[in-house]
Amino acid sequence: AWVIGQAVPEVNAENQIVGYVGTITDITEHRQAEAALQASERQLSVFYANISDILFYLAVEPDDEFRFISVNAAFLNATGLSQEQIVGKLVREVIPEASLPLVLRNYKKAIHTKKAVSWEEVSAYPAGVRYGDVTVIPIFDANGICTHLLGTVHDISERKEVEKELQNRADEFALLYEIAREIS
């Protein structure tokens, strides 16, 4: 059992300690709940750190502002930004300006519709141009106020590069076909 003991000295008329008055409070339940929460946080931390898709968690603030609360390692790797450049910063301070209107519009849509919203996005970061399938999920408090957004990004940059190369090849073949047709 876990307990908290408190005691105060009892003094007589000559200001001598003649005893103590105290209480003991059982805090076992509180300590067990604390331990369960810590174990849950450790487990969540392991998931968060090892998921290959990009994860981010935003606080919804007044005046349509959104602040990064946390991001996983995949976010840092994909963008080339550091934790200090993201966590605690407003979205408009992190997301490239060209992508910002699309991002903010979809964040607001998720809040308004109270549903997950998905879109395809391309952004230029220090690590390079990244393409992603983005999804944000609004999180509401007991009063129905959206307090947070949870986001995921599946990096499709490699697929987009392959598609671009295939399109270039198709254009080349079409041009060769036209040239061959003109020659014949």
Side-chain angles (χ1 to χ4, degrees):
W2 287 90
V3 296
I4 291 180
Q6 297 174 320
V8 292
E10 186 177 351
V11 293
N12 61 15
E14 290 82 42
N15 209 21
Q16 296 173 324
I17 297 175
V18 293
Y20 292 90
V21 175
T23 62
I24 294 180
T25 305
D26 184 350
I27 61 164
T28 303
E29 245 182 67
H30 175 76
R31 294 290 291 196
Q32 289 170 337
E34 226 174 47
L37 179 61
Q38 288 173 350
S40 177
E41 286 175 349
R42 279 191 305 275
Q43 188 177 30
L44 184 58
S45 177
V46 168
F47 291 144
Y48 203 67
N50 290 294
I51 289 178
S52 61
D53 275 354
I54 295 165
L55 298 176
F56 59 93
Y57 191 53
L58 303 171
V60 176
E61 297 185 351
D63 301 322
D64 293 327
E65 293 285 7
F66 304 92
R67 187 174 304 278
F68 282 97
I69 302 295
S70 66
V71 297
N72 68 345
F75 190 111
L76 303 176
N77 293 335
T79 62
L81 298 172
S82 69
Q83 194 88 356
E84 294 76 27
Q85 291 173 296
I86 301 168
V87 175
K89 304 285 188 212
L90 294 173
V91 164
R92 62 181 164 77
E93 297 174 304
V94 176
I95 302 296
E97 196 172 318
S99 303
L100 197 55
L102 172 67
V103 167
L104 294 177
R105 185 171 54 251
N106 283 308
Y107 289 179
K108 292 173 195 174
K109 181 179 178 182
I111 294 167
H112 178 73
T113 62
K114 298 183 178 183
K115 294 180 181 176
V117 173
S118 298
W119 68 96
E120 192 172 289
E121 181 183 323
V122 59
S123 297
Y125 287 102
V129 174
R130 308 307 296 174
Y131 294 84
D133 283 330
V134 183
T135 300
V136 292
I137 302 163
I139 299 171
F140 296 88
D141 67 12
N143 298 317
I145 307 291
C146 184
T147 58
H148 295 86
L149 292 173
L150 176 62
T152 65
V153 182
H154 181 69
D155 190 340
I156 57 170
S157 300
E158 201 172 295
R159 184 184 90 199
K160 285 295 188 179
E161 291 301 319
V162 169
E163 287 174 2
K164 187 191 256 183
E165 185 61 33
L166 287 173
Q167 185 59 51
N168 289 343
R169 297 286 180 208
D171 293 346
E172 288 173 8
F173 287 131
L175 182 60
L176 288 172
Y177 175 77
E178 285 302 316
I179 292 171
R181 222 173 95 187
E182 286 178 18
I183 291 174
S184 64

